[in-house]
């Protein structure tokens, strides 16, 4: 008998083909390799060469195929045929859909372009959408940053010229001490996980400051379960201790920040608190060598850091450093004075301050790396203070978030740990000038484009978008006296303001990928009421037209008049641009694309293509040639390659120039996308070792940044301990200057626009409410889900099909509550019912839940009795859009008064045990949504991959 040959196939070929693209299962933008079999997606793996994830793929990323094949995908353009919210639509063709949209938008543009409100959600194409809105001529444009983390972005850009989030990172290789404040697990996710792994492997200390010990906090060496909204006070207390112990980096402050700049001291005067300047507008410092005021930006200045000086024009002035020391050495910032408010014991605060000082100054790093400073002086080494920090929504989503984030940046500057070895590091194109030299635009006129970017960075009252009487020019009131530095707009107020006609009514609301009918609304019930409220004549709606573009049947779809179905992220081109939210890292600049991996099998179109088509139909400037023909007949792929923002400056920085041999600036290259695809869909430029640190003052880096268009001039970027633009607003509030706030806003501006970081209690946390609503309530992001997208994914739903209200065990026991009890969560806004789960790792006065797991029955094509709709709940139902009324009856938005950031986490609640007779399910529950035409019936069991296995076992 012939011997049997054993064959084991150790590496079976599972796919016919693999294509690189970029993941979109969260905001992190990892590189992926998508394997295809018989034209269908077989599986997804991480791209090992990709700079973001180095092959790492999270649960969401690998489950992407279940989102791609989700039964919740919209299948065709839809026109509403019943009342809003009823879900009655008829399918229409794209020609009809585009004609309807162009008809509505065309008449608005011809009469009053601002009557279009165009806001986008968690898309990654703002370099296109913002430009489109500007060409249309409406100032009413922004993406979702206003309700996400604009406080982080704005505080960083007004202070250090960069920010946390995905625009900077800890020096994972060198830091010895890492503090993380309130970070969601869906931004910069894989880089943070990889970085934490490195850090823990080296034995560096990781301190997590977060009311909840979950996610990253679970592996922290020390968890500080802080009281929500008190982080700024905690940080200022650390600063108090460091100043007291003289553990600060004075040379860093003198060389790289405005700490030595002189501030005019003239109480009551129009120049009080402004930076003292020379005839050419240059800031002054007091030079110890010449005993005179000199240009503070001069390389030779030897500044005094304390003292009071008389300038040549008679002004009295003191250095910023002195103002800072006077403020933070005050006893009200002593650990004992803050411990109760913060929820961290005074000895712990004191110890953390000592540990920070030890890491920064006793464990300093000296790199033998020559570099040249902005003044052309060569240095043989770079000194590093190996303390790094990172912060996100936990800081941001409070009404004191801007100042709290500024406090963290101040702490970093005092320790000298900005862009140094072991510290926080910028990611190109940051650092940018402080603030970036772009002013917001808001002057809309019929048939005119705005002529520049819509969003920008005011430096004083003259840059606000207000009418002569102080009324806001923008619908969301961004850049008005109510939110002067609203760098990302206030998307969360758009529907309310449009409904109320405050400051004016609109004609068309145009939203993309923003679930404003549910989890993206501060209060969904209120939002749905406003979307369905009838006009006074009873004929139409108060918001007359609503166009919505999304790939999925989210809760918002049922409320739209016209639905434009988008593709999934695996069916289209996308551009992750340096002009928007790039994927750079600290050692290099990078951008990326998505390419279509499979063709749509439904009558859907990429939204970016639709927008370019609309721009062409409307004949918007930039979208058509002189003869009226389409400028981008190849739609978004064409635009990505051929659109130029300035000479040679386009959306993609790699392989520019006709031969593809230029980076950054260069004429369009028709083969650019092929180059990206051949390179795994990304481009990256590695910085030389002498360009990697202290980039705010590094000549070699700044010279390169100027050639890339990141900065106009290779000048030093001076970090701003003292934020002079804030003082300009305060002076206006005090009655100085031609532009002053309306009476109602004066006190608010005067109080909150402090040029030095300070802490105030979040607005909802008035001590008078403390007894009525004794608990803080916040949400957290689960690692396995990204906003509302996760709940349509059959694999990820197995991890979270419902959400509990998590509560401190001791606190619960004191209230007689046990695991699984149903409770009513009550706030001043309303109440919602949830089931509780007890835990130890949460601040005693805080309850929390996972964000966006709760669903409206029927939405996302889930079975109406799905656990997400019965047990899942949204905390949003008890969050208020507006603050309590002022004495004159006016109600401000529930936001940070400086940036307009939605104050989601200011919420205060109380818990009431539900009656035993009550149904064990959440409340309120809204009527189930009917399934739009074209969607399949929800399957009882969703499975994927069995077909592949069947063929394999059958030998085909
Ligand atoms: S971290 Fe985000 S982008 Fe990266 S693989 Fe996971 S879901 Fe995709």
């Amino acid at each position: 008998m012939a011997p049997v040959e054993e064959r084991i196939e150790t590496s079976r070929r599972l796919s016919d083909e693999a294509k690189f693209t970029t993941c979109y299962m969260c905001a992190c933008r990892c590189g992926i390799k998508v394997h295809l079999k018989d034209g269908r997606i077989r599986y997804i793996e991480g791209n090992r060469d990709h700079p973001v994830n180095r092959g790492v793929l999270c649960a969401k990323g690998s489950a992407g195929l279940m989102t791609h094949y989700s039964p919740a995908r919209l299948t065709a353009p839809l026109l509403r045929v019943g009342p809003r919210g009823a879900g009655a639509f008829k399918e229409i063709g794209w020609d009809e859909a585009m004609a309807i949209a162009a008809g509505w938008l065309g008449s608005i543009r011809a009469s009053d372009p601002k009557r279009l409100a165009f806001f986008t959600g968690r898309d990654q194409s703002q370099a296109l959408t913002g430009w489109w809105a500007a060409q249309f001529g409406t100032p009413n444009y922004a993406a979702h940053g206003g309700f996400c983390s604009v406080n982080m972005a704005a505080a960083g850009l007004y202070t250090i010229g960069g920010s946390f989030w995905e625009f900077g990172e800890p020096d994972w290789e060198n830091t010895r001490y890492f503090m993380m404040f309130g970070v969601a697990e869906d931004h910069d996710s894989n880089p943070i996980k990889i970085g934490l792994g490195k850090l823990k492997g080296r034995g560096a200390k990781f301190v997590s400051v977060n009311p909840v010990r979950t996610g990253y906090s679970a592996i922290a060496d020390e968890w500080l379960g802080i009281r929500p909204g008190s982080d700024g006070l905690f940080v200022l207390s650390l600063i108090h201790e460091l100043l007291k112990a003289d553990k600060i980096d004075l040379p860093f402050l003198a060389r790289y920040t405005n700490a030595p700049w002189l501030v005019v001291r003239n109480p009551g005067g129009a120049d009080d608190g402004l930076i003292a300047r020379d005839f050419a507008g240059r800031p002054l410092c007091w030079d110890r060598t010449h005993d005179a005021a000199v240009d503070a930006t001069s390389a030779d200045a030897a500044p005094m850091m304390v003292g009071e000086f008389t300038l040549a024009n008679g002004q009295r002035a003191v250095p910023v450093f002195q103002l800072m020391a006077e403020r933070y050495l005050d006893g009200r910032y002593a650990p004992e004075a803050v411990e109760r408010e913060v929820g961290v014991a005074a000895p712990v605060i004191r110890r953390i301050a000592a540990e920070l000082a030890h890491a920064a100054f006793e464990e300093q790093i000296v790199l033998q790396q020559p570099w040249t400073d902005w003044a052309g002086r060569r240095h043989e080494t770079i000194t590093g203070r190996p303390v790094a920090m990172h912060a996100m929504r936990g800081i941001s989503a409070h009404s004191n978030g801007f100042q709290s984030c500024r406090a963290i940046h101040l702490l970093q500057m005092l320790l000298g740990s900005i862009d140094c070895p072991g510290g926080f590091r910028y990611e190109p194109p940051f650092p940018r000038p402080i603030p970036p030299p772009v002013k917001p635009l808001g002057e809309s006129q019929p048939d005119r484009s705005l002529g520049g970017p819509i969003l920008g960075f005011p430096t004083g009252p003259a840059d606000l978008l207000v009418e002569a009487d102080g009324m806001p020019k923008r619908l969301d009131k961004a850049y008005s006296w109510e939110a002067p530095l609203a760098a990302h707009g206030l998307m969360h107020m758009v529907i309310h303001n449009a409904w109320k006609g405050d400051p004016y009514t609109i004609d068309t609301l145009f939203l993309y990928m923003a679930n404003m009918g549910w989890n993206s609304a501060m209060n969904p019930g209120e939002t749905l009421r406003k979307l369905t409220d009838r006009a006074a004549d009873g004929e139409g709606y108060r918001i007359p037209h609503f166009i919505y573009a999304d790939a999925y049947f989210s809760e918002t779809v049922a409320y739209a008049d016209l639905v434009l179905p988008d593709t999934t992220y695996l069916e289209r081109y996308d551009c992750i641009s340096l002009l928007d939210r790039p994927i750079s890292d600290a050692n290099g600049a990078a951008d990326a694309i998505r390419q279509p991996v499979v063709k749509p099998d439904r009558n859907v179109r990429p939204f970016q293509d639709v927008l370019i088509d609309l721009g062409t139909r409307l004949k918007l400037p930039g979208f058509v040639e002189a003869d009226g023909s389409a400028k981008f007949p190849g739609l978004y792929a064409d635009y990505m390659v051929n659109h130029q923002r300035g000479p040679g400056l386009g959306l993609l920085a790699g392989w520019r120039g006709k031969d593809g041999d230029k980076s950054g600036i260069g004429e369009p290259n028709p083969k650019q996308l092929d180059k990206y695809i051949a390179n795994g869909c990304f481009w990256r430029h590695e910085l030389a070792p002498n360009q990697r640190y202290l980039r705010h003052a590094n000549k070699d880096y700044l010279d390169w940044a100027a050639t890339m268009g990141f900065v106009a001039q290779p000048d030093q970027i001076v970090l701003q301990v003292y934020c002079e633009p804030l003082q300009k607003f305060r002076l206006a509030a005090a009655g100085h200057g031609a532009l002053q706030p309306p009476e109602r806003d004066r006190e608010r501006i005067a109080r909150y626009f402090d040029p030095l970081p300070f802490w105030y209690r979040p607005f909802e946390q008035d001590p008078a409410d403390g007894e009525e609503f004794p608990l803080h309530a916040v949400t957290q992001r689960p690692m396995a889900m990204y906003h509302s997208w996760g709940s349509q994914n059959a694999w990820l739903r197995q991890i979270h099909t419902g959400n509990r209200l998590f509560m401190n065990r001791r606190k619960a026991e004191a209230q007689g509550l046990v695991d699984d009890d149903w409770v009513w969560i009550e706030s001043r806004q309303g109440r919602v019912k949830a089931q509780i789960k007890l835990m130890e790792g949460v601040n005693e006065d805080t309850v929390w839940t996972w964000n966006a797991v709760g669903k409206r029955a029927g939405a996302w094509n889930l079975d109406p009795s799905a656990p997400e709709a019965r047990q899942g709940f949204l905390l949003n139902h008890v969050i208020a859009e507006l603050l309590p009324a002022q004495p004159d009856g006016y109600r401000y938005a529930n936001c940070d008064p400086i940036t307009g950031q939605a104050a989601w986490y200011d919420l205060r609640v109380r818990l009431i045990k539900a009656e035993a007779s009550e149904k064990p399910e959440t409340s309120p529950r809204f009527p189930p949504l009917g399934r739009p035409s074209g969607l399949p019936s929800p399957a009882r069991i969703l499975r994927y991959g069995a077909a592949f296995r069947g063929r394999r076992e059958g030998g085909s």
Side-chain angles (χ1 to χ4, degrees), residues 23 25-26 28-30 57-58 60-61 189-190:
C23 185
M25 291 294 288
C26 83
C28 184
R29 296 156 302 160
C30 298
L57 194 68
C58 79
K60 299 187 292 280
S189 176
N190 276 339

Side-chain angles (χ1 to χ4, degrees), residues 216-243:
Y216 302 134
S217 302
I219 59 160
D221 298 295
E222 183 164 2
W223 168 62
L224 301 178
I226 198 163
R227 183 189 284 272
S230 69
D231 309 69
L233 188 57
F234 168 67
V235 169
L236 294 177
S237 187
L238 294 174
I239 288 172
H240 171 91
E241 286 296 295
L242 291 169
L243 283 168

Side-chain angles (χ1 to χ4, degrees), residues 454-760:
I454 294 172
L455 302 171
F457 302 89
T459 55
D463 299 331
L464 291 181
L465 300 183
V466 290
E467 306 289 355
D469 61 358
M471 283 296 280
K473 286 188 177 169
R474 282 180 58 114
L475 177 67
D476 58 2
K477 305 188 183 180
Y479 306 117
S480 75
W481 294 101
E482 291 191 30
L485 307 189
H488 291 177
L490 284 78
M491 184 176 189
H492 43 292
M493 294 314 298
V494 165
I495 292 174
H496 170 85
N497 293 357
W499 165 81
K500 198 162 180 221
D502 175 17
Y504 45 78
T505 57
I506 62 164
D507 178 88
T508 296
L509 174 66
F510 186 5
L511 299 180
Y512 172 48
M513 205 198 273
N515 200 11
M516 296 306 290
W518 197 243
N519 58 289
S520 292
M522 290 193 84
N523 188 287
E526 282 286 298
T527 302
L528 298 183
R529 184 172 69 76
K530 288 161 188 167
L531 283 174
T532 51
D533 204 10
R534 293 281 178 180
D537 61 9
E539 288 293 307
Y541 291 96
R542 278 177 77 152
I543 299 174
H545 297 122
F546 178 15
I547 306 173
Y548 186 49
D550 201 333
Y552 302 102
F553 170 35
S554 69
E555 284 87 349
T556 305
V557 167
Y559 293 83
D561 305 319
L562 177 66
V563 180
L564 304 176
D566 191 12
T567 61
T568 75
Y569 71 106
L570 296 174
E571 295 168 326
R572 64 168 181 250
Y573 283 103
D574 261 332
C575 186
I576 294 121
S577 169
L578 282 159
L579 302 181
D580 182 4
R581 296 171 64 165
I583 54 160
S584 304
D585 55 86
N587 289 337
D591 61 17
I593 66 164
R594 291 194 181 90
Q595 62 159 329
V597 167
V598 287
K599 285 201 170 73
D601 56 359
R602 310 161 315 288
N603 190 17
V604 299
R605 290 187 184 172
F607 178 67
Q608 294 77 7
D609 284 359
V610 168
L611 209 53
I612 289 173
D613 186 356
L614 268 177
T616 309
R617 287 169 191 248
L618 294 167
K619 304 223 176 300
L620 301 184
F623 285 92
V624 285
E625 304 286 7
D627 65 1
S629 61
K631 187 156 188 166
F632 305 106
L635 301 170
Y636 195 41
D638 191 347
Y639 180 87
M640 283 161 61
V641 171
N642 293 311
H643 168 68
Q644 294 188 69
R645 200 55 57 94
L649 182 65
L651 265 68
L652 291 167
W655 297 286
R656 299 195 68 82
K658 65 179 176 5
D659 300 322
D661 54 358
K662 294 181 184 159
S663 295
I665 308 281
E667 60 272 42
N669 167 14
K671 298 214 161 35
Q672 192 179 32
L673 293 185
D674 297 339
K675 291 284 191 186
Y676 271 82
I677 291 168
N679 196 52
C681 287
F682 70 90
W683 164 88
R684 182 172 183 274
H685 169 85
E686 176 97 0
L687 296 174
N690 62 335
Q691 295 174 312
R692 292 183 185 172
Y693 292 104
L694 299 171
R695 281 167 281 188
H696 43 86
N698 182 321
K699 183 174 186 321
D700 293 320
Y701 173 79
L702 290 167
D703 284 346
W704 173 77
T707 67
M708 292 289 289
F710 300 162
V711 293
Q713 305 291 336
D715 297 334
Q716 183 192 11
I717 295 165
V718 181
L719 313 183
Q720 302 287 296
V721 167
Y722 188 90
C723 185
E724 190 186 31
L726 297 182
Q727 180 64 12
K728 290 183 180 168
F729 285 101
R730 257 205 332 194
L731 287 170
H736 300 291
L739 289 165
Q740 295 179 24
E743 279 315 304
R744 178 202 296 142
D745 300 323
R746 277 186 197 274
E747 197 190 321
R748 185 171 143 116
I749 297 274
R751 173 157 161 68
Y752 300 112
F753 280 66
D754 196 315
L756 284 175
F758 81 114
W759 183 82
Y760 51 95

